[in-house]
């Protein structure tokens, strides 16, 4: 296994882009409060950095969904491992994802959260891979669009490895 994956986006590039997204979110929700729903596990690094760039009152919630298991392709079945603990009825919800690939995770999550009647619901994602998209997904705040390659680091894993890398890399499988 390659433990020095090729760099796709380096730390500074990511930091600068997250600062831009944070400023945009701060502007768009001016005068309001938001509930940030961080989709575990992959989004935890992006979410931690993003909320520091949002200059608004935030309530943070976590939800855990998974569909990849230890594979590089989606199983097509989205499993909820952990739910948020707070109420979101009447709130401005900002869902924070690490990547939208087939879009099945976010489609499933939006259906679930919508049924709890938030006031508004938007999506921020670190990455978007349009090639495999199967669902109707709008990303309101996107850091980077990428080609169809398996990316790791900055929270993203392959078989639970590489999440700790401070950059986004590409896994070169032998
Ligand atoms: C990854 C990622 C997204 C989802 C995107 O989660 O974090 O939630 O897949 O893929 P999709 O658009 O094809 O549904 P994963 O199942 O790997 O769980 P993890 O976040 O715990 O690593």
């Amino acid at each position: 296994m390659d433990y020095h994956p090729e760099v796709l986006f380096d730390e500074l590039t990511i930091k600068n882009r997250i600062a831009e997204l944070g400023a945009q979110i701060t502007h768009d929700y001016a005068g309001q409060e938001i509930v940030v729903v961080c989709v575990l596990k992959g989004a935890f690094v992006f979410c931690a950095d993003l909320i520091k760039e949002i200059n608004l009152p935030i309530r943070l919630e976590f939800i855990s969904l998974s569909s990849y298991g230890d594979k590089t392709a989606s199983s097509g079945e989205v499993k909820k491992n952990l739910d948020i603990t707070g109420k979101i009825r009447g709130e401005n919800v900002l869902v924070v994802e690490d990547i939208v690939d087939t879009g099945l995770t976010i489609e499933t999550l939006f259906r679930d959260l919508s049924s709890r009647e938030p006031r508004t619901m938007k999506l921020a994602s670190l990455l978007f891979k349009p090639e495999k998209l199967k669902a109707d997904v709008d990303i309101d705040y996107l850091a980077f669009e990428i080609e169809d390659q398996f990316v790791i680091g900055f929270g993203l894993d392959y078989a639970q490895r590489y999440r700790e890398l401070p950059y986004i890399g590409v896994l070169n499988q032998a």
Side-chain angles (χ1 to χ4, degrees):
M1 193 180 276
D2 175 5
Y3 225 97
H4 298 281
E6 187 190 323
V7 178
L8 186 62
F9 299 105
D10 65 25
E11 282 184 76
L12 188 61
T13 305
I14 300 169
K15 185 178 168 30
N16 290 340
R17 187 69 189 113
I18 293 177
E20 287 175 359
L21 291 184
Q24 184 68 51
I25 292 166
T26 303
H27 172 268
D28 292 354
Y29 288 95
Q32 303 177 71
E33 295 189 9
I34 52 179
V35 177
V36 167
V37 176
C38 174
V39 186
L40 296 173
K41 297 177 185 170
F44 82 107
V45 177
F46 173 48
C47 189
D49 284 2
L50 184 63
I51 60 172
K52 288 181 277 182
E53 300 289 347
I54 301 175
N55 192 13
L56 296 168
I58 284 175
R59 173 154 65 85
L60 185 59
E61 294 285 343
F62 294 97
I63 196 162
S64 171
L65 301 172
S66 59
S67 62
Y68 282 71
D70 286 350
K71 311 227 164 46
T72 56
S74 171
S75 66
E77 192 188 325
V78 180
K79 196 168 147 232
K80 182 154 75 180
N81 307 308
L82 174 86
D83 202 356
I84 58 172
T85 55
K87 296 216 179 336
I88 55 166
R89 185 147 193 240
E91 303 286 350
N92 294 308
V93 170
L94 178 65
V95 172
V96 177
E97 257 291 19
D98 55 337
I99 186 164
V100 175
D101 187 356
T102 64
L104 293 176
T105 302
I106 212 65
E107 186 181 53
T108 306
L109 177 59
F110 266 51
R111 204 181 306 126
D112 177 343
L113 296 180
S114 300
S115 71
R116 308 185 207 188
E117 302 178 343
R119 192 165 92 84
T120 62
M121 201 160 57
K122 285 192 182 184
L123 172 63
S125 184
L126 177 64
L127 298 168
F128 174 45
K129 214 194 265 190
E131 232 160 288
K132 295 243 182 70
L133 192 67
K134 289 187 192 142
D136 187 16
V137 176
D138 279 331
I139 304 174
D140 301 281
Y141 305 101
L142 172 66
F144 306 107
E145 184 169 310
I146 58 166
E147 294 182 357
D148 188 17
Q149 46 198 353
F150 200 85
V151 283
I152 36 89
F154 212 79
L156 290 100
D157 75 311
Y158 169 64
Q160 304 301 327
R161 310 288 290 271
Y162 300 109
R163 294 193 197 274
E164 72 282 10
L165 292 181
Y167 60 90
I168 298 168
V170 180
L171 191 63
N172 298 307
Q173 287 171 290

